[in-house]
Amino acid sequence: MAARLCSISAAARRLLRSPELRAGNVAAAAVGRFYSKDNEGSWFRSLFVHKVDPRKDAHSTLLSKKETSNLYKIQFHNVKPECLDAYNSLTEAVLPKLHLDEDYPCSLVGNWNTWYGEQDQAVHLWRFSGGYPALMDCMNKLKNNKEYLEFRKERSQMLLSRRNQMLLEFSFWNEPQPRAGPNIYELRTYKLKPGTMIEWGNNWARAIKYRQENQEAVGGFFSQIGELYVVHHLWAYKDLQSREETRNAAWRKRGWDENVYYTVPLVRHMESRIMIPLKISPLQ
């Protein structure tokens, strides 16, 4: 026994003599004295290291639609309050003309003003058919479009701030299609804990069936460029009362509560916007 003790480090001998160990609390002694930067290479710390199997696919490959190569851009404009009407008029006058050019591999999906949520805000959603090559092709063509450059210059004087994200669509959600109105739209934004996107997708692939009866599910997206680990769910309702009734009906379906139970712990922050479509929006 003496020979064995001689081969143990001084730190280990201190552990064997510690009050925690004598009290029977081996785990407390081990964690308190060995799980530190000074002992990162120690034999004892290795017992607590989690082994992770390497992934062979990015979550964007596992969760996005395989049959299409669509890329989406969502844009948020915070408009000066006194300029919102002028901003809407300018947007409705110029954007449709730009998209009449069939050489642009880009289409409008939806255009809104936020009604409840962040005020004096415009939200725009575009689809690029062909992925990143289509995005770059469109950007290069717009650089030489004088009408677009004048539009941006005039628009910039009306804005307080702007931001955007590049998105992919979840494979299990509907692809957004034009729809007749009148409708209100809810954009629910979830900022997830890093590393939880696959788990989120697995749960929602099962849960989406509970939210299809009234065709309220418009589209589901996750970010690729911009702020990461962000999910956007887009819903359509006839009005706020319809929204309330539809959401309450989901809670009466067996299984919906399980989805909420398993996904809430994945969320760091969530936000809801109620939005009204602009006149030019394909989603009315």
Side-chain angles (χ1 to χ4, degrees), residues 162-173:
R162 59 194 179 104
R163 61 186 175 91
N164 58 26
Q165 291 174 321
M166 302 309 302
L167 312 172
L168 294 176
E169 55 188 334
F170 284 110
S171 60
F172 48 84
W173 272 77

Side-chain angles (χ1 to χ4, degrees), residues 104 135 174 179 185 203 209 221 269:
Y104 289 153
L135 170 67
N174 306 329
R179 65 171 66 195
Y185 289 82
N203 279 287
K209 64 182 180 181
F221 313 91
H269 176 78

Side-chain angles (χ1 to χ4, degrees), residues 4 7 19 55 62 64 73-74 77 79 82 93-94 119 126 129 132 146 159 171 177 199 214 217 233 236 253 258 269:
R4 289 184 180 179
S7 65
R55 298 200 67 87
L62 296 172
S64 61
K73 179 171 77 171
I74 192 168
H77 286 168
V79 184
E82 68 274 16
V94 177
Q119 296 292 281
W126 283 272
S129 301
Y132 291 107
K146 292 183 179 179
L159 299 181
S171 60
Q177 297 294 337
E199 188 176 354
N214 297 327
H233 290 176
K253 298 173 184 176
E258 292 183 10
H269 176 78

Side-chain angles (χ1 to χ4, degrees), residues 249-280:
W251 283 100
R252 294 193 290 269
K253 298 173 184 176
R254 185 177 180 181
W256 173 252
D257 56 339
E258 292 183 10
N259 171 66
V260 175
Y261 177 83
Y262 286 116
T263 56
V264 165
L266 311 180
V267 178
R268 292 190 295 112
H269 176 78
M270 59 189 296
E271 182 178 5
S272 171
R273 293 175 176 84
I274 301 297
M275 307 184 302
I276 304 297
L278 298 186
K279 295 176 183 178
I280 60 171

Side-chain angles (χ1 to χ4, degrees), residues 9-281:
S9 68
R13 287 197 296 272
R14 287 196 298 273
L15 173 62
L16 292 173
R17 294 195 298 269
S18 68
E20 295 95 333
L21 185 61
R22 288 198 296 273
N25 192 352
V26 178
V31 173
R33 297 181 181 273
F34 280 88
Y35 203 83
S36 66
K37 292 183 179 178
D38 294 335
N39 295 284
E40 285 184 358
S42 70
W43 61 271
F44 203 86
R45 182 181 181 279
S46 67
L47 298 176
F48 297 92
V49 175
H50 295 285
K51 304 300 181 184
V52 179
D53 294 330
R55 298 200 67 87
K56 299 185 183 300
D57 294 290
H59 68 249
S60 59
T61 303
L62 296 172
L63 293 173
S64 61
K65 283 183 169 64
K66 304 296 187 297
E67 65 273 15
T68 66
S69 56
N70 290 334
L71 181 69
Y72 291 81
K73 179 171 77 171
I74 192 168
Q75 194 169 56
F76 300 92
H77 286 168
N78 291 320
V79 184
K80 296 176 182 177
E82 68 274 16
C83 295
L84 186 60
D85 289 339
Y87 171 93
N88 288 340
S89 297
L90 179 66
T91 300
E92 291 170 345
V94 177
L95 282 188
K97 288 193 291 184
L98 293 176
H99 288 280
L100 288 176
D101 191 337
E102 295 181 357
D103 287 338
Y104 289 153
C106 173
S107 58
L108 283 175
V109 176
N111 312 83
W112 302 271
N113 284 153
T114 300
W115 182 23
Y116 286 102
E118 195 162 355
Q119 296 292 281
D120 304 307
Q121 186 180 70
V123 181
H124 305 283
L125 184 64
W126 283 272
R127 180 190 295 115
F128 295 88
S129 301
Y132 291 107
L135 170 67
M136 297 308 299
D137 183 28
C138 189
M139 288 178 60
N140 290 331
K141 288 175 178 175
L142 288 175
K143 288 179 182 178
N144 299 314
N145 188 309
K146 292 183 179 179
E147 186 174 15
Y148 175 72
L149 296 177
E150 286 296 322
F151 163 67
R152 285 195 59 180
K153 182 178 179 180
E154 186 175 353
R155 186 188 65 186
S156 66
Q157 299 173 14
M158 305 178 184
L159 299 181
L160 293 170
S161 65
R162 59 194 179 104
R163 61 186 175 91
N164 58 26
Q165 291 174 321
M166 302 309 302
L167 312 172
L168 294 176
E169 55 188 334
F170 284 110
S171 60
F172 48 84
W173 272 77
N174 306 329
E175 183 171 332
Q177 297 294 337
R179 65 171 66 195
N183 295 293
I184 62 170
Y185 289 82
E186 181 175 16
L187 182 67
R188 295 181 71 87
T189 299
Y190 303 88
K191 298 180 181 180
L192 306 184
K193 297 175 183 177
T196 61
M197 188 66 73
I198 296 293
E199 188 176 354
W200 178 274
N202 286 339
N203 279 287
W204 268 97
R206 295 186 292 270
I208 192 64
K209 64 182 180 181
Y210 300 109
R211 298 295 307 274
Q212 297 280 23
E213 286 184 5
N214 297 327
Q215 298 184 331
E216 69 265 24
V218 178
F221 313 91
F222 58 98
S223 61
Q224 282 290 283
I225 300 177
E227 189 173 5
L228 299 178
Y229 284 97
V230 177
V231 170
H232 299 289
H233 290 176
L234 185 61
W235 309 91
Y237 306 100
K238 291 301 179 185
D239 50 37
L240 288 174
Q241 182 61 35
S242 173
R243 171 186 178 270
E244 179 76 2
E245 294 169 357
T246 300
R247 288 174 55 81
N248 286 341
W251 283 100
R252 294 193 290 269
K253 298 173 184 176
R254 185 177 180 181
W256 173 252
D257 56 339
E258 292 183 10
N259 171 66
V260 175
Y261 177 83
Y262 286 116
T263 56
V264 165
L266 311 180
V267 178
R268 292 190 295 112
H269 176 78
M270 59 189 296
E271 182 178 5
S272 171
R273 293 175 176 84
I274 301 297
M275 307 184 302
I276 304 297
L278 298 186
K279 295 176 183 178
I280 60 171
S281 177

